[in-house]
Amino acid sequence: MNKTKKRKVLIAPSLLSASFLDLRKELKDTEDAGAGLLHVDIMDGHFVPNMTIGPFVVEAIRKATSLPLDVHLMIEQPERYIDDFISAGADYLTVHEEASVHLNRTVDRIRERGAKAGVSLNPSSPVCLLDSIIEYIDMVLIMSVNPGFGGQSFIGNSLEKIKAVREMINKRGLGVVIEVDGGVKPGNARTVADAGADILVMGSAFYGAGDYKALMAGVRKTLS
């Protein structure tokens, strides 16, 4: 297993927990705090029991920040919207293994359009589902809560899943990065990173902190 100090672990604040009343300021403050990416959750009310935003809002976000946009499609039949979200400005586009029937075709289309392709696994989905796709993607997103709502607690056995994906990546000599989303906060960031995560998504832990710069400084110290 790679040691944390040999990898640069990035923090990706999840916009789902930001204040949409003053989104432009939230984006600027997030960028100024030193975030590595901006995580944008797209929900359809079908694949998960919540609804969020669409390509039009992502396009507006793209115009307001220079941070890479890490767009997570928690929707059914995500292949229908690949072109829309990449045209809107997605740098990373992640689909769920459970939601895409023709996953290879979906991943190929994302990469053909110039974005980095990610595949996500829900908490109950086994790592073996990645076996035939991991060589064709850029990122694995491991959900450490059941997707749909922010503020949930980290599911403890997600650590073993992270370790197993890291082992799969290392054994095959791949450059795939691991992102973890759900219940990540300063108190468990080091543990999650040590398990093999490269990108830590923080929603309520980040936007609920008030002082984003102080939060980031504390997390960086924890990870050092």
Side-chain angles (χ1 to χ4, degrees):
M1 182 181 70
N2 287 0
K3 298 296 183 180
T4 304
K5 65 182 181 181
K6 294 183 180 180
R7 292 181 288 112
K8 182 179 180 181
V9 178
L10 300 177
I11 305 302
S14 176
L15 200 63
L16 181 65
S17 297
S19 172
F20 277 71
L21 289 176
D22 196 355
L23 189 55
R24 184 181 292 275
K25 183 178 186 301
E26 288 279 63
L27 292 169
K28 183 179 185 305
D29 290 347
T30 300
E31 192 169 338
D32 290 346
L37 304 89
L38 186 68
H39 190 79
V40 185
D41 287 314
I42 310 300
M43 307 182 193
D44 63 358
H46 297 282
F47 183 67
V48 294
N50 196 6
M51 293 186 292
T52 53
I53 62 176
F56 181 77
V57 178
V58 173
E59 184 177 8
I61 293 168
R62 173 72 290 156
K63 294 175 181 178
T65 182
S66 63
L67 286 172
L69 297 187
D70 169 30
V71 178
H72 178 194
L73 299 185
M74 289 185 272
I75 61 177
E76 293 180 347
Q77 296 181 281
E79 58 275 3
R80 295 180 300 170
Y81 302 101
I82 287 171
D83 290 337
D84 292 338
F85 281 103
I86 293 176
S87 295
D91 297 289
Y92 287 81
L93 194 63
T94 297
V95 301
H96 273 257
E97 192 282 336
E98 307 90 354
S100 185
V101 176
H102 302 291
L103 188 56
N104 278 91
R105 182 186 300 165
T106 300
V107 165
D108 286 346
R109 180 57 180 168
I110 293 171
R111 299 182 87 177
E112 285 171 3
R113 285 296 315 273
K116 293 184 183 298
V119 169
S120 182
L121 293 180
N122 279 334
S124 63
S125 298
V127 170
C128 64
L129 293 175
L130 296 171
D131 188 66
S132 297
I133 195 67
I134 196 165
E135 295 182 23
Y136 303 97
I137 62 178
D138 303 286
M139 180 169 71
V140 173
L141 170 53
I142 297 174
M143 292 301 302
S144 44
V145 298
N146 289 298
F149 297 95
Q152 300 180 63
S153 297
F154 186 88
I155 297 175
N157 62 11
S158 301
L159 292 174
E160 295 306 312
K161 182 179 287 188
I162 298 166
K163 292 175 184 178
V165 176
R166 174 54 60 195
E167 183 177 6
M168 180 186 291
I169 291 169
N170 289 349
K171 280 187 175 181
R172 301 190 189 196
L174 303 174
V176 179
V177 298
I178 298 175
E179 182 175 58
V180 178
D181 182 5
V184 180
K185 52 190 176 182
N188 63 11
R190 180 59 188 259
T191 301
V192 176
D194 281 348
D198 302 286
I199 303 171
L200 307 180
V201 177
M202 289 189 183
S204 56
F206 183 90
Y207 286 107
D211 189 336
Y212 303 158
K213 288 184 178 180
L215 181 281
M216 286 292 293
V219 173
R220 287 196 190 97
K221 185 176 181 180
T222 297
L223 295 174
S224 64

